[in-house]
Amino acid sequence: MLYTCPVEEIIYLCLFAFLAGFIDSVVGGGGLIQLPALFIFLPGLPVPTIFGTGKLASIAGTTAAMLRYVRSVRINYIAILPAAGVAFVFSFLGARALSHLDAGLLKPLILLLLILVAIYTFIKKDFGSLHAPKLTLAKEKLYGLVVGMVIGFYDGFFGPGTGSFLIFVFIGVFGFNFLAASAAAKVVNVATNLSALLYFGYKGYILYEVAVPMAVCSVLGSQLGTRTALKRGTAFVRVLFLVVVTGIILKFGYDLYGSGGSELSNLATSVRQWLGRKG
Protein backbone atom coordinates (compact mmCIF):
# COMPACT_ATOMS: atom_id res chain seq x y z
CA MET A 1 0.00 0.00 0.00
CA LEU A 2 1.48 3.33 -1.10
CA TYR A 3 1.03 6.06 1.49
CA THR A 4 2.57 9.52 1.55
CA CYS A 5 2.50 11.35 4.87
CA PRO A 6 2.55 15.18 4.72
CA VAL A 7 5.59 16.81 6.35
CA GLU A 8 3.33 18.73 8.71
CA GLU A 9 1.89 15.52 10.13
CA ILE A 10 5.36 14.01 10.54
CA ILE A 11 6.35 17.06 12.61
CA TYR A 12 3.34 16.61 14.88
CA LEU A 13 4.13 12.91 15.28
CA CYS A 14 7.74 13.71 16.14
CA LEU A 15 6.58 16.01 18.93
CA PHE A 16 4.41 13.24 20.33
CA ALA A 17 7.30 10.77 19.99
CA PHE A 18 9.56 13.10 21.99
CA LEU A 19 7.00 13.35 24.79
CA ALA A 20 6.34 9.60 24.69
CA GLY A 21 10.08 8.90 24.87
CA PHE A 22 10.40 11.13 27.93
CA ILE A 23 7.49 9.54 29.81
CA ASP A 24 8.34 5.98 28.78
CA SER A 25 11.97 6.26 29.84
CA VAL A 26 10.92 7.10 33.39
CA VAL A 27 7.79 5.06 34.16
CA GLY A 28 6.60 3.45 30.94
CA GLY A 29 3.27 4.33 29.35
CA GLY A 30 4.69 6.13 26.34
CA GLY A 31 2.29 4.15 24.17
CA LEU A 32 -0.56 6.07 25.81
CA ILE A 33 0.75 9.15 24.01
CA GLN A 34 2.28 7.77 20.84
CA LEU A 35 -0.25 5.17 19.73
CA PRO A 36 -3.32 7.45 19.71
CA ALA A 37 -1.26 10.09 17.89
CA LEU A 38 -0.41 7.58 15.15
CA PHE A 39 -4.07 6.68 14.73
CA ILE A 40 -4.99 10.36 14.55
CA PHE A 41 -2.37 11.50 12.06
CA LEU A 42 -2.22 8.37 9.91
CA PRO A 43 -5.91 7.72 9.21
CA GLY A 44 -6.72 4.85 6.91
CA LEU A 45 -3.54 2.85 7.52
CA PRO A 46 -3.94 -0.82 8.50
CA VAL A 47 -3.69 -1.41 12.25
CA PRO A 48 -0.55 -3.61 11.96
CA THR A 49 1.20 -0.79 10.06
CA ILE A 50 0.27 1.69 12.79
CA PHE A 51 1.70 -0.66 15.42
CA GLY A 52 4.81 -1.48 13.39
CA THR A 53 5.61 2.17 12.76
CA GLY A 54 5.17 2.91 16.44
CA LYS A 55 7.37 -0.02 17.48
CA LEU A 56 10.34 1.31 15.51
CA ALA A 57 10.03 4.68 17.23
CA SER A 58 9.51 3.04 20.62
CA ILE A 59 12.48 0.70 20.50
CA ALA A 60 14.83 3.55 19.65
CA GLY A 61 13.81 5.51 22.73
CA THR A 62 13.66 2.45 24.97
CA THR A 63 17.14 1.29 23.92
CA ALA A 64 18.61 4.73 24.56
CA ALA A 65 17.01 4.80 28.01
CA MET A 66 18.21 1.27 28.78
CA LEU A 67 21.82 2.10 27.91
CA ARG A 68 21.77 5.13 30.18
CA TYR A 69 20.22 3.20 33.06
CA VAL A 70 22.72 0.34 32.65
CA ARG A 71 25.56 2.79 33.21
CA SER A 72 23.97 4.36 36.28
CA VAL A 73 21.78 1.77 38.07
CA ARG A 74 22.72 -1.68 39.32
CA ILE A 75 20.57 -4.23 37.45
CA ASN A 76 19.78 -7.74 38.68
CA TYR A 77 20.63 -9.60 35.47
CA ILE A 78 19.96 -13.01 37.04
CA ALA A 79 16.26 -12.18 37.11
CA ILE A 80 16.09 -9.82 34.15
CA LEU A 81 17.91 -11.67 31.36
CA PRO A 82 15.70 -14.81 31.52
CA ALA A 83 12.66 -12.53 31.53
CA ALA A 84 13.98 -10.63 28.52
CA GLY A 85 14.76 -13.82 26.58
CA VAL A 86 11.32 -15.34 27.13
CA ALA A 87 9.65 -11.98 26.50
CA PHE A 88 11.38 -11.81 23.11
CA VAL A 89 9.74 -15.06 22.03
CA PHE A 90 6.30 -14.31 23.42
CA SER A 91 6.25 -10.79 22.05
CA PHE A 92 6.70 -12.28 18.58
CA LEU A 93 3.74 -14.58 19.23
CA GLY A 94 1.70 -11.62 20.43
CA ALA A 95 2.52 -9.63 17.30
CA ARG A 96 1.35 -12.56 15.16
CA ALA A 97 -1.86 -12.83 17.18
CA LEU A 98 -2.55 -9.13 16.53
CA SER A 99 -3.12 -9.91 12.86
CA HIS A 100 -5.93 -12.34 13.72
CA LEU A 101 -7.54 -11.11 16.94
CA ASP A 102 -9.11 -7.92 18.25
CA ALA A 103 -6.71 -6.31 20.71
CA GLY A 104 -9.58 -4.21 22.06
CA LEU A 105 -10.95 -7.30 23.79
CA LEU A 106 -8.21 -6.91 26.40
CA LYS A 107 -9.26 -3.42 27.45
CA PRO A 108 -11.73 -4.32 30.24
CA LEU A 109 -9.16 -6.58 31.93
CA ILE A 110 -6.36 -4.03 31.47
CA LEU A 111 -8.55 -1.29 32.92
CA LEU A 112 -9.27 -3.34 36.04
CA LEU A 113 -5.62 -4.25 36.55
CA LEU A 114 -4.48 -0.64 36.16
CA ILE A 115 -7.04 0.58 38.68
CA LEU A 116 -5.76 -1.97 41.19
CA VAL A 117 -2.15 -0.95 40.45
CA ALA A 118 -2.95 2.74 40.99
CA ILE A 119 -4.88 2.14 44.24
CA TYR A 120 -2.16 -0.07 45.69
CA THR A 121 0.67 2.33 44.76
CA PHE A 122 -1.22 5.32 46.17
CA ILE A 123 -2.15 3.66 49.46
CA LYS A 124 1.25 2.07 50.09
CA LYS A 125 3.32 5.24 50.51
CA ASP A 126 6.65 3.41 50.81
CA PHE A 127 6.02 1.34 47.67
CA GLY A 128 9.22 1.41 45.60
CA SER A 129 11.09 3.69 47.99
CA LEU A 130 13.57 1.05 49.16
CA HIS A 131 15.60 -1.40 47.12
CA ALA A 132 15.26 -4.66 49.05
CA PRO A 133 15.16 -7.77 46.79
CA LYS A 134 13.07 -10.41 48.55
CA LEU A 135 13.25 -13.53 46.36
CA THR A 136 15.69 -16.40 46.37
CA LEU A 137 17.89 -16.91 43.33
CA ALA A 138 15.73 -19.79 42.07
CA LYS A 139 12.52 -17.81 42.49
CA GLU A 140 14.01 -14.79 40.73
CA LYS A 141 14.72 -16.94 37.69
CA LEU A 142 11.31 -18.63 37.77
CA TYR A 143 9.33 -15.44 38.27
CA GLY A 144 11.42 -13.74 35.60
CA LEU A 145 10.35 -16.41 33.10
CA VAL A 146 6.68 -15.97 34.02
CA VAL A 147 6.92 -12.19 33.73
CA GLY A 148 8.61 -12.55 30.35
CA MET A 149 5.87 -14.82 29.01
CA VAL A 150 2.89 -12.76 30.15
CA ILE A 151 4.23 -9.23 29.60
CA GLY A 152 6.04 -10.24 26.41
CA PHE A 153 2.87 -11.55 24.77
CA TYR A 154 0.91 -8.52 25.92
CA ASP A 155 3.44 -6.06 24.52
CA GLY A 156 3.55 -7.73 21.12
CA PHE A 157 -0.23 -8.03 20.99
CA PHE A 158 -1.31 -4.66 22.37
CA GLY A 159 1.43 -2.69 24.14
CA PRO A 160 0.29 0.47 25.97
CA GLY A 161 1.09 0.26 29.67
CA THR A 162 3.71 -2.48 29.29
CA GLY A 163 6.46 -0.49 30.98
CA SER A 164 4.16 0.49 33.85
CA PHE A 165 3.12 -3.13 34.44
CA LEU A 166 6.77 -4.23 34.42
CA ILE A 167 7.76 -1.57 36.94
CA PHE A 168 4.90 -2.53 39.25
CA VAL A 169 5.83 -6.23 39.10
CA PHE A 170 9.54 -5.61 39.68
CA ILE A 171 8.70 -3.52 42.75
CA GLY A 172 5.84 -5.55 44.18
CA VAL A 173 7.14 -9.05 43.47
CA PHE A 174 10.92 -8.69 43.26
CA GLY A 175 11.39 -5.91 45.84
CA PHE A 176 13.18 -3.37 43.62
CA ASN A 177 12.88 0.38 44.14
CA PHE A 178 11.44 2.61 41.41
CA LEU A 179 14.76 3.42 39.76
CA ALA A 180 15.96 -0.20 39.70
CA ALA A 181 12.53 -1.33 38.47
CA SER A 182 12.57 1.28 35.69
CA ALA A 183 16.01 0.11 34.59
CA ALA A 184 14.96 -3.55 34.65
CA ALA A 185 11.76 -2.76 32.76
CA LYS A 186 13.77 -1.15 29.96
CA VAL A 187 15.86 -4.31 29.44
CA VAL A 188 12.73 -6.45 29.07
CA ASN A 189 10.98 -3.78 27.01
CA VAL A 190 13.84 -3.67 24.49
CA ALA A 191 13.49 -7.42 24.00
CA THR A 192 9.71 -7.26 23.49
CA ASN A 193 9.93 -4.29 21.15
CA LEU A 194 12.70 -5.89 19.10
CA SER A 195 10.79 -9.13 18.67
CA ALA A 196 7.58 -7.42 17.61
CA LEU A 197 9.52 -5.05 15.36
CA LEU A 198 11.21 -7.94 13.52
CA TYR A 199 7.80 -9.43 12.78
CA PHE A 200 6.27 -6.14 11.64
CA GLY A 201 9.33 -5.37 9.51
CA TYR A 202 9.29 -8.81 7.89
CA LYS A 203 5.64 -8.34 6.99
CA GLY A 204 6.22 -4.83 5.64
CA TYR A 205 4.16 -3.19 8.38
CA ILE A 206 6.47 -0.21 8.97
CA LEU A 207 6.12 3.24 7.38
CA TYR A 208 9.79 4.21 7.50
CA GLU A 209 9.41 7.81 6.35
CA VAL A 210 7.42 8.40 9.53
CA ALA A 211 9.05 5.90 11.88
CA VAL A 212 12.66 7.06 11.43
CA PRO A 213 12.18 10.75 12.34
CA MET A 214 9.90 9.67 15.20
CA ALA A 215 12.65 7.33 16.42
CA VAL A 216 15.16 10.19 16.52
CA CYS A 217 12.78 12.32 18.58
CA SER A 218 11.98 9.39 20.86
CA VAL A 219 15.69 9.00 21.62
CA LEU A 220 15.99 12.70 22.47
CA GLY A 221 12.97 12.48 24.77
CA SER A 222 14.24 9.34 26.47
CA GLN A 223 17.63 10.92 27.14
CA LEU A 224 15.99 13.86 28.86
CA GLY A 225 13.68 11.53 30.78
CA THR A 226 16.38 9.22 32.13
CA ARG A 227 18.57 12.18 33.08
CA THR A 228 15.66 13.70 35.00
CA ALA A 229 14.79 10.41 36.74
CA LEU A 230 18.37 9.73 37.82
CA LYS A 231 18.77 13.28 39.09
CA ARG A 232 15.49 13.54 41.00
CA GLY A 233 15.29 9.98 42.35
CA THR A 234 12.60 7.52 43.34
CA ALA A 235 10.13 10.05 44.81
CA PHE A 236 9.82 11.80 41.45
CA VAL A 237 9.48 8.51 39.59
CA ARG A 238 6.72 7.37 41.97
CA VAL A 239 4.67 10.53 41.42
CA LEU A 240 5.07 10.37 37.65
CA PHE A 241 4.18 6.66 37.72
CA LEU A 242 0.87 7.45 39.43
CA VAL A 243 0.15 10.27 36.97
CA VAL A 244 0.81 8.06 33.94
CA VAL A 245 -1.16 5.09 35.26
CA THR A 246 -4.09 7.42 36.01
CA GLY A 247 -3.89 8.76 32.47
CA ILE A 248 -3.96 5.26 31.02
CA ILE A 249 -6.97 4.40 33.20
CA LEU A 250 -8.85 7.47 32.00
CA LYS A 251 -8.11 6.68 28.38
CA PHE A 252 -9.13 3.04 28.60
CA GLY A 253 -12.24 3.98 30.56
CA TYR A 254 -13.21 6.49 27.90
CA ASP A 255 -12.52 3.97 25.14
CA LEU A 256 -14.84 1.48 26.79
CA TYR A 257 -17.64 3.60 28.16
CA GLY A 258 -17.32 7.17 26.94
CA SER A 259 -18.21 7.16 23.26
CA GLY A 260 -19.79 3.91 22.20
CA GLY A 261 -16.58 2.47 20.81
CA SER A 262 -16.05 5.07 18.07
CA GLU A 263 -13.97 7.51 20.11
CA LEU A 264 -10.74 7.06 18.18
CA SER A 265 -12.18 7.96 14.81
CA ASN A 266 -14.13 10.85 16.35
CA LEU A 267 -11.01 12.14 18.09
CA ALA A 268 -9.00 11.87 14.89
CA THR A 269 -11.62 13.85 12.97
CA SER A 270 -11.81 16.54 15.66
CA VAL A 271 -8.06 16.99 15.84
CA ARG A 272 -7.67 17.19 12.06
CA GLN A 273 -10.43 19.80 11.90
CA TRP A 274 -8.82 21.77 14.70
CA LEU A 275 -5.54 21.76 12.81
CA GLY A 276 -7.30 23.18 9.76
CA ARG A 277 -7.49 20.05 7.66
CA LYS A 278 -10.56 18.39 6.22
CA GLY A 279 -11.28 15.05 7.87
Side-chain angles (χ1 to χ4, degrees), residues 74-255:
R74 186 176 180 180
I75 296 177
N76 186 346
Y77 289 106
I78 293 176
I80 304 311
L81 290 182
V86 172
F88 179 90
V89 175
F90 276 78
S91 180
F92 183 86
L93 297 176
R96 289 195 62 184
L98 176 65
S99 302
H100 306 288
L101 301 173
D102 180 9
L105 296 175
L106 287 177
K107 283 186 177 180
L109 176 59
I110 296 166
L111 179 61
L112 175 61
L113 290 175
L114 285 168
I115 291 173
L116 294 176
V117 165
I119 292 174
Y120 184 84
T121 305
F122 181 78
I123 292 176
K124 194 172 177 58
K125 302 298 183 182
D126 61 344
F127 185 70
S129 61
L130 297 175
H131 186 68
K134 54 189 179 182
L135 298 178
T136 63
L137 180 62
K139 284 187 176 180
E140 282 184 341
K141 292 179 180 179
L142 176 61
Y143 288 12
L145 293 175
V146 175
V147 169
M149 286 189 290
V150 176
I151 301 295
F153 185 87
Y154 170 74
D155 192 37
F157 182 66
F158 192 58
T162 296
S164 299
F165 280 129
L166 282 169
I167 289 172
F168 183 81
V169 170
F170 284 132
I171 294 173
V173 178
F174 289 79
F176 298 173
N177 65 16
F178 266 107
L179 278 178
S182 294
K186 293 299 163 289
V187 177
V188 178
N189 234 166
V190 167
T192 60
N193 282 340
L194 177 60
S195 179
L197 181 65
L198 290 174
Y199 175 77
F200 288 129
Y202 173 74
K203 289 291 187 178
Y205 292 146
I206 300 175
L207 193 62
Y208 288 98
E209 67 177 86
V210 176
V212 171
M214 285 183 69
V216 173
C217 292
S218 181
V219 169
L220 295 176
S222 73
Q223 289 295 293
L224 179 61
T226 50
R227 186 180 300 116
T228 303
L230 291 169
K231 181 179 180 180
R232 302 191 64 175
T234 58
F236 166 76
V237 178
R238 180 182 185 275
V239 172
L240 189 58
F241 178 82
L242 280 170
V243 170
V244 170
V245 170
T246 301
I248 299 174
I249 290 171
L250 292 174
K251 182 190 181 300
F252 281 169
Y254 181 74
D255 286 355

